[in-house]
Amino acid sequence: MKNGTEPPSSAPSSTALRDFADLKKALKQAAKETAARLERERAERAQREAQQRRHEAEAELFKRSVGQVNRLPETGRVQAKGPRPEPVPARKQLDEQAVLKESLSDEFDVESLLETDESLSWRRPEIGIDVVRKLRRGVWALQGELDLHGLRTDEARERLAGFLREAQAKGSRCVRVVHGKGLGSPGRQPVLKDKVRRWLVQSDRVLAFVQARADEGGHGAVVVLLQSSV
């Protein structure tokens, strides 16, 4: 070239073309992403509208089925939150204790109902004498025991009635009640021994009882046959 001048470079024009191409590509990608987003929003809106229409249709069907529904008047009561505790049958327990005190009387005359053989025993009229013999021989295995030593009369009465009730509920048929021989009582008289026999005769749960064998308590205990719980 004359005068030693260089020809103009084409680099700037090439860079501008690349930048324009990149911009065009970016705009195209952005438009594509915007279109996809709008399509998702349209589909979600259509789904919500469909669910709303279905809910309204079900509500209308329910309304036609049951008729007009009116809100109950406000009473001002506060609704309890959470599960309610199980009620304690306090009234039932008191009633049972009252029944026990009335039904198991200390004044019941039992002497005429006891057999006067080698060991005092008792059985209901429908129970055969062979049952008493088997009970005395220990044919039935003992399935429970109650010791009334040291208890006052009222406490012993309630304890005995509760024991018989629980034993029958568990399916026990033969139990032993230890009343003691009265050696520590005033006058060395077996107070609980006589009362236990009175109470047992009055209980509907008892079929028969005999004085325990020597190895099972002898004069200080009785072996009791209970009604079946079935």
Side-chain angles (χ1 to χ4, degrees):
M1 299 292 297
K2 294 181 179 181
N3 302 324
T5 58
E6 295 293 333
S9 175
S10 61
S13 61
S14 299
T15 301
L17 289 175
R18 284 197 301 272
D19 291 343
F20 179 76
D22 291 342
L23 178 59
K24 185 178 180 181
K25 184 177 181 181
L27 291 173
K28 185 177 181 181
Q29 181 63 30
K32 186 176 181 181
E33 292 176 355
T34 300
R37 178 174 56 79
L38 292 175
E39 179 62 24
R40 287 196 304 271
E41 291 177 353
R42 185 198 63 78
E44 292 173 355
R45 184 169 57 254
Q47 184 178 11
R48 289 195 300 270
E49 292 175 352
Q51 290 177 347
Q52 180 65 24
R53 288 194 297 271
R54 184 163 56 251
H55 176 74
E56 292 174 353
E58 291 175 352
E60 182 63 25
L61 178 61
F62 176 79
K63 184 176 180 180
R64 289 199 304 269
S65 300
V66 303
Q68 183 64 32
V69 177
N70 298 321
R71 183 181 180 85
L72 292 175
E74 296 291 341
T75 61
R77 291 183 298 179
V78 178
Q79 295 293 330
K81 296 182 179 180
R84 294 183 177 180
E86 291 294 329
V88 178
R91 181 69 262 170
K92 180 180 179 181
Q93 294 174 357
L94 292 175
D95 292 342
E96 287 183 350
Q97 292 176 4
V99 170
L100 293 176
K101 290 181 179 179
E102 294 173 1
S103 61
L104 303 184
S105 171
D106 296 342
E107 306 303 324
F108 187 81
D109 182 11
V110 70
E111 297 302 328
S112 61
L113 300 176
L114 295 173
E115 297 180 13
T116 55
D117 51 12
E118 71 275 9
S119 61
L120 293 177
S121 64
W122 175 83
R123 60 186 172 89
R124 292 192 175 277
E126 66 272 19
I127 301 300
I129 188 63
D130 58 316
V131 173
V132 175
R133 296 193 185 103
K134 291 179 181 179
L135 191 61
R136 188 175 293 129
R137 292 200 307 268
V139 172
W140 288 281
L142 291 173
Q143 297 173 293
E145 178 178 292
L146 174 66
D147 191 343
L148 299 175
H149 274 108
L151 300 182
R152 298 189 302 272
T153 298
D154 289 343
E155 188 178 3
R157 182 199 298 112
E158 294 180 11
R159 190 76 64 85
L160 175 62
F163 171 74
L164 296 177
R165 181 174 62 252
E166 293 174 4
Q168 187 185 44
K170 291 189 296 186
S172 301
R173 295 299 309 277
C174 186
V175 297
R176 177 170 54 195
V177 178
V178 180
H179 47 65
K181 299 178 181 180
L183 300 180
S185 302
R188 301 174 65 86
Q189 294 298 317
V191 178
L192 279 184
K193 177 179 180 179
D194 293 336
K195 291 184 181 298
V196 165
R197 289 185 298 162
R198 296 175 191 274
W199 297 337
L200 290 175
V201 168
Q202 297 174 71
S203 175
D204 292 337
R205 306 177 192 278
V206 177
L207 292 177
F209 65 82
V210 297
Q211 181 175 289
R213 300 197 305 267
D215 60 338
E216 293 180 343
H219 296 285
V222 289
V223 178
V224 184
L225 183 66
L226 299 177
Q227 293 267 16
S228 173
S229 60
V230 179

